[in-house]
Amino acid sequence: MRSKILLTALALGLTAQQASAQTTPPTLMKGVLKIAMEGTYPPFTFKDAQGNLTGFDVDVARAVAAKLGLRPEFVLTEWSGILGGLQANKYDVIVNQVGITPERQKTIGLSQPYAYSRPQIIVRKSGTFSPKTLADLKGKRVGVGLGSNFEKQLRNAGGINVVTYPGAPEYLADLAAGRLDAAYNDRLLVGYLITKNNLPIRGAGVIGQPEPVGVAYKKTNTALGSAINRALAQIKADGTYAKISRQWFGQDVSKP
């Protein structure tokens, strides 16, 4: 009888382990989801006055990790090298407003969209320059993040003096100081900076159609990609996502 009970217990233990293996996606470190982000890109990823990492993408990443049953571990890195770091296995995922584009989908995995926004031109608050389209930026010095979708759009427009930077704080500082004529970034970021920070900037023309962003992962790690999509669906279904979105933007940004 004791042998039978022991065998039954062992069988139950193996079943639980198998279930755990099926539900916990493969990551670089067991039980941990290593998440890359800039940490200098408010309101998405940044440090508050106490030095704590916070932001919309931080909250989304934590919620996804919780659904996956993994402990989130954040890795801060400049945008210019963030995609390369993923390919070099420095982290499992990137949660940093990574635009979903056909070009990127050739080399990295991208989840279903978890947010949408549109690019916006940014200018000095005190100036009279009010560009409404990218054509209005021709011949102007425009700051933008190196390797971003925004940089590609500016270069494709042609005739713009594109000045690249590691991240948003650097080019927004140069814009405020008059070293740039304009900057180009996410509309949600612009609105946040105008309402929360004391930067002498303002939003100008909003460009194009709403663009989706997703969680980036190694293209070969399809099990992790599938798990992330399930987790995103779960946080939307249970109201977690809506709460996060309203906290940062006062609206649901999961829809175009």
Side-chain angles (χ1 to χ4, degrees):
M1 177 66 73
R2 291 177 68 183
S3 297
K4 194 170 184 180
I5 292 171
L6 180 60
L7 287 170
T8 302
L10 286 171
L12 288 171
L14 286 171
T15 302
Q17 288 177 4
Q18 290 167 352
S20 176
Q22 290 173 355
T23 56
T24 303
T27 54
L28 294 171
M29 187 182 301
K30 187 176 180 181
V32 175
L33 184 67
K34 297 186 76 171
I35 306 159
M37 52 182 53
E38 289 175 272
T40 56
Y41 191 37
F44 305 109
T45 77
F46 66 104
K47 290 187 177 180
D48 63 18
Q50 289 73 44
N52 300 313
L53 188 64
T54 188
F56 171 73
D57 281 2
V58 177
D59 288 347
V60 169
R62 286 187 173 129
V64 167
K67 292 297 184 185
L68 297 178
L70 299 171
R71 176 173 63 83
E73 181 180 301
F74 295 99
V75 180
L76 303 187
T77 185
E78 291 183 349
W79 173 261
S80 56
I82 205 166
L83 295 176
L86 179 66
Q87 302 290 31
N89 292 319
K90 292 184 178 179
Y91 26 80
D92 298 297
V93 297
I94 304 170
V95 186
N96 199 99
Q97 294 294 293
V98 181
I100 299 173
T101 66
E103 183 179 355
R104 283 186 180 146
Q105 287 175 317
K106 292 176 183 176
T107 57
I108 63 173
L110 285 158
S111 73
Q112 293 298 312
Y114 69 88
Y116 288 83
S117 188
R118 294 168 66 187
Q120 186 167 29
I121 301 168
I122 315 163
V123 295
R124 285 188 301 281
K125 192 173 184 179
S126 60
T128 58
F129 183 44
S130 295
K132 292 181 173 55
T133 68
L134 294 185
D136 296 332
L137 297 177
K138 291 193 175 181
K140 304 293 186 181
R141 284 175 57 84
V142 182
V144 70
L146 178 65
S148 64
N149 282 351
F150 307 117
E151 178 193 359
K152 183 178 179 181
Q153 290 172 18
L154 292 177
R155 295 195 186 281
N156 287 344
I160 300 170
N161 186 356
V162 179
V163 186
T164 58
Y165 293 79
E170 292 88 352
Y171 61 77
L172 292 176
D174 273 3
L175 174 62
R179 290 185 284 270
L180 295 170
D181 299 301
Y184 192 54
N185 208 302
D186 190 286
R187 178 182 65 84
L188 296 176
L189 173 138
V190 178
Y192 176 86
L193 291 176
I194 289 172
T195 56
K196 298 291 185 180
N197 293 5
N198 193 28
L199 286 177
I201 62 172
R202 59 184 172 88
V206 178
I207 308 299
Q209 298 300 312
E211 298 180 351
V213 299
V215 177
Y217 56 91
K218 282 290 286 286
K219 195 173 181 69
T220 53
N221 197 347
T222 55
L224 178 58
S226 297
I228 288 169
N229 280 328
R230 287 195 299 272
L232 286 171
Q234 288 168 354
I235 66 171
K236 289 176 182 177
D238 68 12
T240 301
Y241 181 93
K243 182 179 177 181
I244 294 170
S245 184
R246 285 195 299 268
Q247 175 190 342
W248 290 103
F249 306 115
Q251 60 180 298
D252 184 354
V253 297
S254 69
K255 300 177 179 63

